[in-house]
Amino acid sequence: NVFVGATGMGKSWTAVSIAGHLAAQGHHGMIITTEMNPKTWLNRVAAYTAQIDSGAIKRGLLTNAEEGRYSEAMNYLDQHLNFVKGVRPTAASLRATVLKARMRGRLDFVVLDSASRLINPGDNLYGETALIQNALQELALETELPMIVTGQVKGREVANRAMKMPTINDSFGGSSWEHNADVLIGLYYHTYYVKQLLADPDPQFPEGVFAMRVLKDREGEMAADKILKMKFVGGRGLYELDERKEPERYSAPRYKEVDHDAIH
């Protein structure tokens, strides 16, 4: 499951929200963060889970009630998420890490944020990217684990054109994502471009509305090219869009145990 987008489009927040949602359902995951400190990533998951602004966590400005929810979330997540800091891991080292984690205990899903920082010997950018993407697909097939992967698009090229929502051909490093991914989703946050003075406000995408464009779905062709709108609450993550609710009332699913074989 590959989520691609330019800088500022919310790739990490998307991965954070998915990981938080799965952990809240009782699933156990491995988080491989190549661009962000694992502590920062974990704090974001805790913010999503505990319904707290991650900026307040970072600045130590939590109320007593928020401190309690934050502590509860951290204790819970510590039992369900395992973090690996990989500054520039190779595809081979990533495979070894995932297989070793499976041997140590239960593992239900893997998050890689982001694949753009992986390295693999190749003749050029496109050859290197293809090898990385092939390795990730092989790892998913070998382990039969759901993998949530983020990746870059050609940001400058996308930003300079009129239609800035990602297409299937925008992935950084060529079209290998299109070939390998079971699900390929382009991420789009129009507000970012408005604030950068690169686009005019659009009533279809007001501030706080985040779009996921399904570029490919191997198992559901009818879903291809469908645009899903989500509510982006700054500092907390992505939630189901319901304009009747105020941002502070958006909540992550509470902790519960489910059938782990049902995960997708």
Side-chain angles (χ1 to χ4, degrees):
N1 304 280
V2 181
F3 296 83
V4 295
T7 299
M9 293 298 103
K11 297 185 294 297
S12 290
W13 273 116
T14 299
V16 161
S17 302
I18 293 172
H21 183 81
L22 292 174
Q25 295 182 62
H27 300 300
H28 292 245
M30 165 176 280
I31 314 299
I32 302 164
T33 169
T34 64
E35 297 181 342
M36 190 184 306
N37 186 287
K39 176 66 174 178
T40 302
W41 218 97
L42 175 59
N43 273 336
R44 287 191 175 190
V45 186
Y48 171 87
T49 305
Q51 307 165 47
I52 299 170
D53 189 296
S54 59
I57 296 175
K58 182 178 180 179
R59 295 188 297 271
L61 300 176
L62 302 182
T63 65
N64 288 338
E66 289 171 338
E67 283 279 8
R69 297 205 307 272
Y70 174 68
S71 178
E72 177 188 5
M74 290 293 280
N75 288 336
Y76 181 87
L77 294 171
D78 184 57
Q79 300 174 46
H80 289 81
L81 297 181
N82 176 33
F83 281 80
V84 176
K85 183 178 181 181
V87 180
R88 294 298 306 273
T90 64
S93 68
L94 178 67
R95 176 180 178 272
T97 299
V98 172
L99 294 180
K100 185 176 180 180
R102 284 191 69 190
M103 292 178 61
R104 288 201 306 260
R106 200 176 89 206
L107 184 60
D108 300 318
F109 67 93
V110 176
V111 173
L112 172 60
D113 180 38
S114 96
S116 300
R117 293 281 295 171
L118 288 182
I119 56 176
N120 210 77
D123 295 332
N124 51 48
L125 171 64
Y126 299 99
E128 179 180 347
T129 303
L131 288 172
I132 289 170
Q133 294 163 0
N134 288 337
L136 291 176
Q137 183 190 43
E138 290 166 6
L139 180 59
L141 291 172
E142 178 182 3
T143 62
E144 297 185 340
L145 289 171
M147 296 189 66
I148 296 95
V149 180
T150 65
Q152 282 286 127
V153 301
K154 292 168 278 190
R156 183 174 300 177
E157 180 178 314
V158 170
N160 289 332
R161 71 191 188 200
M163 204 289 284
K164 296 176 173 53
M165 189 175 291
T167 70
I168 201 166
N169 298 314
D170 288 330
S171 298
F172 187 72
S175 61
S176 297
W177 284 135
E178 175 189 349
H179 299 147
N180 286 326
D182 289 317
V183 177
L184 178 63
I185 293 180
L187 306 179
Y188 182 69
Y189 189 46
H190 187 76
T191 298
Y192 174 85
Y193 290 117
V194 173
K195 291 182 176 180
Q196 295 294 317
L197 304 180
L198 295 172
D200 295 325
D202 185 340
Q204 294 296 317
F205 299 101
E207 185 167 2
V209 171
F210 179 93
M212 296 183 176
R213 184 181 186 185
V214 182
L215 303 173
K216 175 189 176 183
D217 184 349
R218 198 188 301 274
E219 299 298 328
E221 294 183 4
M222 295 297 291
D225 215 30
K226 183 176 182 180
I227 295 176
L228 311 173
K229 291 185 178 180
M230 307 287 289
K231 180 69 177 181
F232 176 60
V233 182
R236 282 177 40 184
L238 302 175
Y239 302 86
E240 181 180 357
L241 181 61
D242 185 346
E243 295 178 352
R244 296 170 299 176
K245 295 182 179 181
E246 294 298 322
E248 60 268 17
R249 294 184 58 197
Y250 280 83
S251 59
R254 300 309 295 164
Y255 317 133
K256 61 181 180 181
E257 294 293 335
V258 297
D259 179 5
H260 298 284
D261 293 331
I263 188 172
H264 295 289

